[in-house]
Amino acid sequence: VELPDLDIWVAKVPVTQIVWRLITGRNPSRFRGDELPVESINQQDCFSFVSLMNKHPIVQKSGFVFRLPTSDEWSLFAKRGRRKFSNIAWSWNDNVSTPQPVAAKKTNPLGLYDLWGNVWEWCSDIDGDYAVCRGGCWCCDEAGCKKVETLPNDSRCSFVGCRLCAERIL
């Protein structure tokens, strides 16, 4: 989805396991399924994934470069309009005990799926040994999904994944 006022593009869904596997050759996820968000990755894994993506010949010819969003950018994606939380987010209210296939619920007003719930999403922000995650997960309630989480940047949890942004190369 293009966000012209921010001069970036943001992926409609979190990175799925099939995409992660195609780029890295492995699937670190605890809960397996091609259409599930990749999880059990730490922030450095995300940076390595982004680096591999950006080295791919197709990406190099595209005129774009991928990266993780900042926490502030992520907040802007989330604040652009509201829809009923239960319609757009997987949370403990759904009585699920695992991540769910991406894009199975409705989008937010920007057309982004799974921005709230399903898996926390690593952001690029680093504060010493800690990094920011946004969006909550399948084991959070609505209030938990809306808080900013700070985790050790080497944490690999089965409820943390990532979403990509892209910028046009000038």
Side-chain angles (χ1 to χ4, degrees):
V1 173
E2 183 178 4
L3 303 174
D5 54 324
L6 296 177
D7 205 27
I8 62 171
W9 285 255
V10 60
K12 286 187 172 197
V13 297
V15 175
T16 59
Q17 292 177 30
I18 193 167
V19 170
W20 189 278
R21 192 173 61 249
L22 286 170
I23 297 300
T24 67
R26 63 184 189 86
N27 182 356
S29 300
R30 175 178 173 208
F31 301 103
R32 299 294 176 108
D34 286 348
E35 297 306 314
L36 294 177
V38 67
E39 33 82 4
S40 299
I41 52 174
N42 65 29
Q43 191 189 43
Q44 185 55 52
D45 295 333
C46 295
F47 291 146
S48 296
F49 173 79
V50 167
S51 178
L52 285 171
M53 286 273 297
N54 287 329
K55 290 177 184 172
H56 194 283
I58 293 173
V59 173
Q60 289 185 336
K61 292 177 185 174
S62 73
F64 290 92
V65 63
F66 288 97
R67 63 176 176 79
L68 294 178
T70 67
S71 180
D72 288 344
E73 289 169 339
W74 196 101
S75 180
L76 290 171
F77 309 154
K79 289 181 181 175
R80 302 256 173 119
R82 291 279 291 154
R83 293 224 167 113
K84 186 175 178 185
F85 182 80
S86 62
N87 291 340
I88 64 170
W90 290 104
S91 70
W92 70 272
N93 290 333
D94 292 302
N95 294 316
V96 296
S97 57
T98 65
Q100 299 298 300
V102 300
K105 289 217 173 188
K106 293 182 180 181
T107 67
N108 79 349
L110 284 177
L112 304 176
Y113 292 94
D114 301 313
L115 198 59
W116 301 107
N118 217 0
V119 293
W120 287 94
E121 297 177 5
W122 287 110
C123 294
S124 61
D125 308 66
I126 299 172
D127 184 10
D129 292 334
Y130 290 84
V132 175
C133 293
R134 301 296 302 260
C137 71
W138 48 268
C139 56
C140 293
D141 62 9
E142 183 172 355
C145 287
K146 293 184 178 176
K147 70 178 197 169
V148 178
E149 186 66 54
T150 324
L151 296 173
N153 56 14
D154 61 354
S155 295
R156 284 189 176 96
C157 304
S158 61
F159 49 83
V160 182
C162 65
R163 180 182 305 261
L164 298 180
C165 285
E167 296 176 348
R168 187 172 297 281
I169 301 170
L170 301 178

